[in-house]
Amino acid sequence: MFKSKTNKILAFTCSNHIVGDLYFAIMYPLLPYIAITYELNYTQTGLIKTVFDLGAALTQLPAGIISDRISEFWLIGGANLWVGIGVILMSLATTNIMFLGMSFITGIGGGVQHPVGARFVSRGSDPKSLFTSIGILNFSGDLGKIIAPIIVALLVVSFGWQKCLLFVGVTGIILVLGSMVTNLSISKSSNNANNIQ
């Protein structure tokens, strides 16, 4: 039972880590296209990514504190749904100011994945394979970063950056909801490590 739940926790957290890091990595290759659309200079373009990351940075510590009271399952899934919805809204922005504001709001959800995901996997892992599990978790995030520029290369030239963002947001939401539905059995794990086993 422990092994089964351990694998489910790892699979759920890794799949969400892929999506979460993809959300953030997608911005780098899209910035030149966004800059052209909104006629931004270099500083204004850089500000978009800064604001996006700032939203995530500000929620890292609160996310860790909140995970003492709320199941990591719901925090991770809910945060990635937040970012997915935000990415969709970013794709619909008609002005740079609107896009900048949505970037910050969207980024807020991105601060949950790393502190809460690492905690969830650490608590749910067999101590003998803890570091392997953490390594797999970290690697899964890198997969999201690898996939992001491939998606841009395939979509942006034919469909534009807005539709590329829309595709990523919708697809991410579907993947996160799928991971939550297929792993509902781990959602009832309280924040007591003994209850995961």
Side-chain angles (χ1 to χ4, degrees), residues 22-49:
L22 189 151
Y23 283 145
F24 278 75
I26 200 81
M27 292 301 296
Y28 286 111
L30 288 182
L31 283 176
Y33 300 97
I34 295 168
I36 291 170
T37 299
Y38 295 129
E39 299 180 347
L40 305 178
N41 60 34
Y42 187 79
T43 302
Q44 291 170 322
T45 304
L47 186 61
I48 291 173
K49 191 68 172 80

Side-chain angles (χ1 to χ4, degrees), residues 44-161:
Q44 291 170 322
T45 304
L47 186 61
I48 291 173
K49 191 68 172 80
T50 299
V51 166
F52 196 37
D53 290 343
L54 176 63
L58 292 176
T59 53
Q60 295 265 349
L61 180 59
I65 295 170
I66 292 170
S67 68
D68 287 332
R69 293 175 171 79
I70 300 174
S71 168
E72 294 101 329
F73 176 89
W74 296 110
L75 281 173
I76 292 168
N80 268 340
L81 291 175
W82 173 294
V83 178
I85 292 168
V87 167
I88 291 171
L89 294 176
M90 287 166 67
S91 77
L92 303 175
T94 55
T95 67
N96 176 45
I97 297 301
M98 189 184 299
F99 189 87
L100 203 61
M102 284 312 309
S103 295
F104 178 75
I105 293 170
T106 301
I108 289 172
V112 172
Q113 175 64 56
H114 291 109
V116 179
R119 173 187 167 128
F120 200 23
V121 170
S122 295
R123 289 195 318 104
S125 294
D126 183 331
K128 294 178 182 178
S129 60
L130 173 60
F131 295 116
T132 300
S133 297
I134 293 296
I136 293 170
L137 177 64
N138 290 338
F139 174 73
S140 67
D142 290 333
L143 283 179
K145 296 171 188 173
I146 292 167
I147 295 169
I150 295 172
I151 291 174
V152 171
L154 292 173
L155 297 180
V156 76
V157 174
S158 298
F159 302 102
W161 67 266

Side-chain angles (χ1 to χ4, degrees), residues 1-3 5-6 9 72 119-125 186 189-197:
M1 182 66 177
F2 178 86
K3 290 291 185 184
K5 184 155 278 191
T6 295
I9 289 172
E72 294 101 329
R119 173 187 167 128
F120 200 23
V121 170
S122 295
R123 289 195 318 104
S125 294
I186 63 172
S189 299
S190 74
N191 288 30
N192 181 332
N194 294 326
N195 290 336
I196 291 184
Q197 300 178 19

